[in-house]
Amino acid sequence: MKMILKIAVTDACIFIDLFDIDLITSFFGLELEVHTTSGVYFELNNEQQLVLKAYQSVNKLVIHNLRLPMFCDPLTRAGAKRGKLAALKQFLFLRSLHAMGAPPNI
């Protein structure tokens, strides 16, 4: 049975660099299961987004839509569209929930 390596691209700079050095096609030609978030996707320009959509359509890329729990404060939810700061807030929020004994699947 062939194992496929799963990777997560958590920063748009990775995709941007691959586009800049003309290796995006080679990257998606590797036997990888590539995951990213909609936040990373929306940091790319329109042309780059179109290319990634093509890879998503042939199941070479999975774009996850992370959502903050609805019970967190409105300022944090509003910040979810602002990229890295929102991701940091989400991480810290979920870590604090876990520290208080919340189940790990929250």
Side-chain angles (χ1 to χ4, degrees):
M1 181 162 110
K2 195 176 212 178
M3 282 189 61
I4 295 179
L5 182 65
K6 295 181 183 184
I7 65 166
V9 178
T10 59
D11 192 313
C13 291
I14 302 299
F15 287 127
I16 292 167
D17 287 347
L18 288 169
F19 278 106
D20 285 349
I21 60 176
D22 233 0
L23 287 178
I24 197 75
T25 302
S26 297
F27 175 73
F28 280 104
L30 298 172
E31 298 222 10
L32 298 172
E33 185 177 310
V34 182
H35 295 257
T36 195
T37 65
S38 57
V40 169
Y41 174 81
F42 287 119
E43 288 185 46
L44 303 172
N45 68 37
N46 290 338
E47 283 182 30
Q48 294 166 337
Q49 288 179 10
L50 284 173
V51 171
L52 291 191
K53 271 296 189 195
Y55 288 114
Q56 182 186 30
S57 72
V58 294
N59 299 318
K60 293 291 287 179
L61 173 66
V62 179
I63 300 174
H64 298 272
N65 196 12
L66 301 180
R67 297 173 188 247
L68 293 173
M70 293 308 292
F71 51 85
C72 67
D73 68 288
L75 182 61
T76 304
R77 281 199 311 269
K81 296 181 181 175
R82 286 191 225 131
K84 293 178 188 175
L85 178 60
L88 177 60
K89 284 182 180 179
Q90 180 181 13
F91 170 77
L92 293 172
F93 176 74
L94 293 175
R95 188 175 74 174
S96 68
L97 283 179
H98 181 69
M100 293 185 299
N105 61 346
I106 287 183

